[in-house]
Amino acid sequence: MFFIFLLIFTLIFNSHILASENIFGLHLSQTEDIHQSSSIINSQNGDWGWVTIVIKNDQLDINTWQDFFNNCRKYHIIPIIRIATTGEKDYWKIPEYSDIDQIIYFLNSLNWPTKQQHIILFNEINHGNEWGGAVDIKDFTEKSFYAAKKFKEVNPNFFILSSALDLAAPEKPPQFKSAENVYREIILLNPIYFNQIDGLASHSYPNHGFIGTPNDTGRHSIHG
C-alpha cells in the first residue's frame, strides 16, 4: 500500500518546540513508500513534513531502517516511529521488557535524519486487541513509563509520545476503555507518569465509522 491515511494527530507538548513548522504528513505502511509520499508531504513548497510508521520487534533490520532514515534526510521528512510488538491471533502481543530494550537499543544505533527523534509508545491501548486481548492500563503504564525513562537514559534526544487513544472507545472492559478513564487511571497508578512524556499522540478521527466533515466539532471529530 502507498499510504493508509493522512497524519491527523495532535502533539501537546511540555515546553518543547516542533522541529518543523510544516504540520502535514502521512502514515506509511512500509518503508519503501517514502519515495512516493515525499512529494505529497512537502507539496505546495512545504519542507520537512512528517511521516509516521510502525516498527515491530521482528522487523529490526538495520539496512532497511537506515536506508529509510537516509531517504527521510534526502527528502526532508521527519519520521515518527511507533514501536510495536507482533500480531498473534487477532491481537497484538503484550510487550516484554526485553522487547522494549531491544527496540530502544536498535533505534539508538541508527543515524537519524533529525536531532529530535520522535517515538510513539504503542497504539490505542484502550482497545483490548492492542494489548494482548484485554485492556490493562496498569501493565501499559508500568511498561510505557519504563520505556520512556529508558529511551531518555539511552539518548536524551528521543522525544517520547504516549500512546494515542481511540477517543470514541466506550467504557466496556475488558475490550474497551474510554480515553478519559485511561488518563485518570494512569494518573492514579503513577502520578509522575507524564513527567517522562514529551507529548501526547491523539487519533482524532471522524467517528464512528470514519464519517464526518471537516467542520464537525467534539471528541468524535477531527477536532477531538
Side-chain angles (χ1 to χ4, degrees), residues 76-88:
H76 285 201
I77 292 174
I78 303 169
I80 303 173
I81 306 298
R82 175 162 64 82
I83 64 173
T85 55
T86 56
E88 184 174 81

Side-chain angles (χ1 to χ4, degrees), residues 65-81:
W65 287 99
Q66 188 58 64
D67 185 60
F68 173 72
F69 280 169
N70 291 343
N71 283 316
C72 285
R73 182 180 297 104
K74 172 184 175 182
Y75 296 125
H76 285 201
I77 292 174
I78 303 169
I80 303 173
I81 306 298

